[in-house]
Amino acid sequence: MSVLSKTRAALLATAIAAMPLSAAALTTQEATSLTNTIVQEVQGYIQSGASLSSKQASFRTTMDRYADMNAIGRYVLGVNWRSATPAQQAAFTQAFRTYVSNKYGSQFSDYQGAQIAVGGARDLGDRGIVVDSTVSRAGGAPIAVQWQFSDRSGRPLLVDIVAEGVSLLTSERSAIGNMLDRRGGNLDQLIADLPNAG
């Protein structure tokens, strides 16, 4: 093999190694295990006597550890992500991270005493794997929640949560779009306001 051929082969091998894993590499068993881990963490601080701010901070840590916040941030910002500078993209992701933890963390009191039962998992091919669960609350009808995972980032991470057919990705994309419209498309203003908008 010539030096040029060896160089090309080495470059190809490096490129393949650097590519993210396909969604098919993630198994339903791994996704189910991840869901159980997340559920246990969330139930732990929902049922604790910690303050709201402490629960929100704990939820932020959970999302940082198990969710692909970069991919979620890109999706919810939509076309505006592509026109944003790298600095704006980074700032938006950070602001959105705080917004999500504050918004959803503030709802934890509604689930005090609730039980979450993790069920089966379905392989969606390129779209990853969805794990079904049921949230049962005293005095209320059970809530169906799906947890969608993908390993396109290079490791298995949560990319969406669907509660009673409502996708977090879709609802937040609409909410963020409306917030940006109200600010005349000023992304910097949205980034500044977002941490306190939850």
Side-chain angles (χ1 to χ4, degrees), residues 33-106:
S33 178
L34 277 170
T35 304
N36 276 308
T37 298
I38 295 169
V39 165
Q40 288 170 9
E41 282 196 15
V42 172
Q43 283 193 300
Y45 44 79
I46 285 180
Q47 311 302 346
S48 74
S51 66
L52 174 59
S53 61
S54 177
K55 291 178 180 179
Q56 289 171 329
S58 295
F59 184 54
R60 183 161 54 249
T61 299
T62 298
M63 293 298 285
D64 285 345
R65 185 181 298 126
Y66 300 112
D68 192 343
M69 295 306 293
N70 290 327
I72 294 171
R74 285 197 303 273
Y75 181 84
V76 299
L77 194 56
V79 296
N80 296 287
W81 179 271
R82 294 193 290 274
S83 61
T85 66
Q88 287 176 317
Q89 291 172 350
F92 174 79
T93 301
Q94 183 69 16
F96 180 71
R97 166 182 170 267
T98 302
Y99 159 80
V100 167
S101 62
N102 289 346
K103 177 178 180 178
Y104 293 96
S106 66

Side-chain angles (χ1 to χ4, degrees), residues 19-187:
M19 290 173 64
L21 298 173
S22 67
L26 175 64
T27 68
T28 54
Q29 291 82 4
E30 289 170 331
T32 301
S33 178
L34 277 170
T35 304
N36 276 308
T37 298
I38 295 169
V39 165
Q40 288 170 9
E41 282 196 15
V42 172
Q43 283 193 300
Y45 44 79
I46 285 180
Q47 311 302 346
S48 74
S51 66
L52 174 59
S53 61
S54 177
K55 291 178 180 179
Q56 289 171 329
S58 295
F59 184 54
R60 183 161 54 249
T61 299
T62 298
M63 293 298 285
D64 285 345
R65 185 181 298 126
Y66 300 112
D68 192 343
M69 295 306 293
N70 290 327
I72 294 171
R74 285 197 303 273
Y75 181 84
V76 299
L77 194 56
V79 296
N80 296 287
W81 179 271
R82 294 193 290 274
S83 61
T85 66
Q88 287 176 317
Q89 291 172 350
F92 174 79
T93 301
Q94 183 69 16
F96 180 71
R97 166 182 170 267
T98 302
Y99 159 80
V100 167
S101 62
N102 289 346
K103 177 178 180 178
Y104 293 96
S106 66
Q107 299 172 15
F108 285 160
S109 60
D110 296 338
Y111 296 90
Q112 191 78 30
Q115 296 297 317
I116 305 175
V118 177
R122 290 166 286 133
D123 192 333
L124 303 180
D126 289 344
R127 292 185 295 140
I129 291 174
V130 166
V131 180
D132 296 317
S133 70
T134 303
V135 180
S136 301
R137 295 184 293 175
I143 300 171
V145 178
Q146 286 84 42
W147 310 73
Q148 184 173 349
F149 295 88
S150 173
D151 58 6
R152 288 186 176 278
S153 66
R155 63 191 183 97
L157 291 171
L158 185 67
V159 294
D160 196 10
I161 301 172
V162 180
E164 292 294 288
V166 179
S167 161
L168 180 148
L169 279 182
T170 302
S171 61
E172 289 305 335
R173 183 169 179 144
S174 177
I176 294 298
N178 289 336
M179 289 183 204
L180 190 57
D181 287 344
R182 290 197 299 270
R183 291 161 178 78
N186 188 326
L187 181 57

